[in-house]
Amino acid sequence: MTEIIYGHLTGRALNAALGDLADILFSCVKNGASVSFIQPFCLEDAKQFWQNAVFPEVREGKTLLFFAKAHDRIVGTVQLQTDLPPNQAHRCEVAKLLVHPEFRKRGIATTLMEMLEEAASEMGKSLITLDTRSGDQAEPLYILLNYKIAGQIPNFARATDSERLDSTTYMYKILNPVPA
């Protein structure tokens, strides 16, 4: 059994992780993951996403970036976005839960989400929100983790490999109920 090491990335570790993170994103999109990108999508596109969209947010403390590592390579990741408007400071958002296709069905996504939830709770967040493609393999995982469905929006995002428009499901989880 392969040992999986978990943690979160900051500072200099971000640049060292770029290749692994790009490979995960590229591989997930190649396998049909609905995570904002469409084909054609190359490894360089994935690197640009991490460097330009995610790393600055992590460096500024607006996003926490969690990882799972096996065989000295990052094989899973998820982001906790905390930089929300003042009237939403009590909540945070999940973004880009990704597990490399070669490492799925090993509990990595569940553990990453549990780490994310613990961090959110420690930050005093009482609500976590997310969206996922309706009917996607992630939706049952979120339900098992006690996320509730808030609703669906039809024709929300284009499929990765065709002109088809897929629905998205918005979900939430209350962590620490706010006193009335």
Side-chain angles (χ1 to χ4, degrees):
M1 181 103 175
T2 303
E3 180 184 13
I4 309 291
I5 298 167
Y6 296 89
H8 70 276
L9 294 168
T10 58
R12 292 185 201 140
L14 292 170
N15 290 335
L18 178 60
D20 289 346
L21 293 169
D23 181 54
I24 294 168
L25 180 57
F26 172 75
S27 297
C28 289
V29 172
K30 182 178 174 185
N31 280 276
S34 180
V35 289
S36 304
F37 304 100
I38 57 173
Q39 298 294 345
F41 182 76
C42 67
L43 200 53
E44 186 59 34
D45 295 331
K47 285 181 181 178
Q48 292 299 314
F49 166 74
W50 291 106
Q51 287 179 313
N52 299 332
V54 180
F55 289 1
E57 297 292 308
V58 173
R59 287 187 178 107
E60 293 175 24
K62 298 176 180 181
T63 295
L64 296 178
L65 180 58
F66 298 92
F67 71 87
K69 195 173 204 174
H71 304 294
D72 292 323
R73 97 184 222 228
I74 296 175
V75 297
T77 184
V78 67
Q79 299 167 48
L80 177 64
Q81 299 174 332
T82 60
D83 186 40
L84 299 175
N87 69 338
Q88 297 170 47
H90 64 286
R91 75 175 188 89
C92 50
E93 295 182 358
V94 175
K96 307 283 187 285
L97 175 61
L98 304 168
V99 176
H100 195 285
E102 295 173 10
F103 287 86
R104 292 188 179 154
K105 305 293 183 195
R106 299 184 194 191
I108 293 172
T110 299
T111 302
L112 286 168
M113 287 299 295
E114 288 169 348
M115 288 177 61
L116 177 146
E117 290 174 12
E118 183 177 329
S121 183
E122 288 173 1
M123 295 172 77
K125 303 297 182 182
S126 60
L127 177 67
I128 300 177
T129 60
L130 62 86
D131 70 278
T132 187
R133 178 173 48 195
S134 300
D136 203 18
Q137 60 189 355
E139 192 172 348
L141 168 70
Y142 295 131
I143 290 170
L144 283 173
L145 292 171
N146 295 314
Y147 283 79
K148 307 296 182 209
I149 295 174
Q152 292 185 341
I153 300 174
N155 302 328
F156 187 80
R158 191 177 139 200
T160 59
D161 59 353
S162 73
E163 296 294 321
R164 182 186 76 243
L165 296 177
D166 292 329
S167 299
T168 198
T169 300
Y170 275 88
M171 304 180 86
Y172 69 94
K173 183 174 186 176
I174 297 174
L175 294 179
N176 305 311
V178 177

